[in-house]
Amino acid sequence: MFTKRVVSISIDGTCVRVLSASGDSVEKWDSIPFPSHFVASGGIADPTGLGRIIRDGLAERKLSGGKVVCAHSAADSVARVLRLPRVDARQLPDIVNREARRVTSGSVDSNYVHWQALPPRNGSQRVCMVVVPKRPLAVLLKTFQVAGIKPSFVDLKPMALIRAVNKRTAIIANGENTSVDMTIVVDDLPAVIRSVFIGTDMPSPDYPVDRIGDELLKSLTAYADSQRERPLPSKMPVYLTGGVGGGMAAALNVTTLTGRSIGKINPPLRCPPDLPVAEYAVNIGLILRTL
């Protein structure tokens, strides 16, 4: 039986990580470096230049065939589980759009608003809402157009990480050399999504590692303040991912600051023993969405 190859692409820090899989088995992986001036403020500054690098890098690595799936930064994106009074279903779109205006700095028209009604709980109507700015996504798609890529889908990095970690409730810290991303998922729903661009000129080599710990503490505090009725278990581990986050220095920093252990990532995908799973966790999560 012929199984079509799926190629996952994620722009992380100052490299493009690529991983291909056939069915539920990882085949190849590699990273394509690019100059730091191609990114700025958490987004792509030169879609034409970066697109050409991606195109040439995929061709050199013979990874340009098959279905392509891609990740998008969660910078300035917002995830919320809304708890509302029970209302007529026809009122929900207006209520969700009103809430989206409240939690974003721009107008609703400058964002994509995705939402899904959830089963009621304790007499309240629950809605999972994700708001994604339109402009950075348009720049990402322009980059892929230059690269000759037409993605089957584009997914937010935190959503891909949730699938890779494969836990109903989890604390995930993703660290790269230019950004850190925090995700807290509760009952398979994103309770906290936080993405911070930390720049390309570091004051010290340890700066990205330190920021992982700092931003994780902020995210845990924000969750505790907003979800007092559902605290996270004190023994719940932190799952570290990314090129910087997956290293030993980040693990030591996080355990010292939070008192939490580091969880091992075991994605439901057949991975070669030499695959750096933490580093390619976003790519793995993208592949899992296709299964």
Side-chain angles (χ1 to χ4, degrees):
M1 179 179 177
F2 175 74
T3 304
K4 190 173 183 180
R5 168 201 275 178
V6 178
V7 178
S8 62
I9 300 175
S10 181
I11 300 171
D12 300 303
T14 52
C15 74
V16 180
R17 294 198 183 101
V18 187
L19 180 145
S20 69
S22 180
D24 64 349
S25 299
V26 173
E27 293 180 327
K28 296 175 63 177
W29 63 93
D30 204 348
S31 63
I32 305 169
F34 60 82
S36 60
H37 66 263
F38 280 12
V39 294
S41 302
I44 298 170
D46 184 351
T48 300
L50 183 54
R52 289 170 178 165
I53 286 178
I54 295 173
R55 179 196 62 201
D56 296 343
L58 292 176
E60 290 171 5
R61 291 159 176 80
K62 298 181 180 179
L63 284 168
S64 55
K67 178 180 180 179
V68 179
V69 295
C70 303
H72 178 47
S73 168
D76 297 322
S77 297
V78 177
R80 292 282 191 279
V81 177
L82 308 178
R83 289 172 174 81
L84 310 168
R86 297 292 292 275
V87 297
D88 189 295
R90 291 171 293 184
Q91 296 178 273
L92 283 179
D94 289 338
I95 294 173
V96 171
N97 283 332
R98 188 161 58 245
E99 184 65 15
R101 282 194 295 271
R102 189 184 70 80
V103 300
T104 59
S105 57
S107 67
V108 172
D109 290 341
S110 65
N111 296 281
Y112 293 108
V113 181
H114 304 276
W115 61 276
Q116 180 178 352
L118 304 171
R121 175 180 290 171
N122 298 328
S124 297
Q125 171 67 62
R126 297 185 304 149
V127 176
C128 181
M129 178 187 73
V130 179
V131 183
V132 182
K134 290 182 178 180
R135 188 179 180 281
L137 181 56
V139 175
L140 178 72
L141 294 176
K142 171 64 176 177
T143 303
F144 290 143
Q145 182 183 34
V146 172
I149 295 169
K150 187 175 182 180
S152 295
F153 65 77
V154 177
D155 202 4
L156 284 179
K157 288 183 183 179
M159 302 305 180
L161 289 169
I162 288 170
R163 284 191 296 273
V165 170
N166 194 34
K167 300 290 183 182
R168 283 182 55 83
T169 299
I171 304 164
I172 307 169
N174 185 73
E176 302 294 348
N177 60 350
T178 63
S179 63
V180 293
D181 300 272
M182 303 295 146
T183 304
I184 298 177
V185 55
V186 178
D187 293 337
D188 286 331
L189 297 172
V192 173
I193 286 180
R194 179 178 174 83
S195 181
V196 180
F197 181 69
I198 61 176
T200 55
D201 295 323
M202 300 297 151
S204 73
D206 296 331
Y207 184 70
V209 170
D210 293 338
R211 286 298 299 270
I212 292 171
D214 293 343
E215 297 302 330
L216 178 57
L217 285 177
K218 290 179 183 178
S219 297
L220 290 172
T221 300
Y223 177 86
D225 290 343
S226 64
Q227 303 289 337
R228 296 181 185 276
E229 75 285 1
R230 303 194 72 190
L232 297 171
S234 59
K235 293 186 178 181
M236 177 180 290
V238 176
Y239 294 90
L240 289 172
T241 61
V244 175
M248 182 61 70
L252 291 173
N253 180 268
V254 166
T255 55
T256 300
L257 286 176
T258 68
R260 296 177 180 270
S261 62
I262 305 303
K264 183 179 180 180
I265 303 172
N266 292 302
L269 194 67
R270 296 181 181 180
C271 300
D274 55 336
L275 170 67
V277 171
E279 185 175 344
Y280 284 83
V282 172
N283 298 81
I284 290 170
L286 292 171
I287 297 293
L288 288 170
R289 181 172 162 178
T290 70
L291 300 179

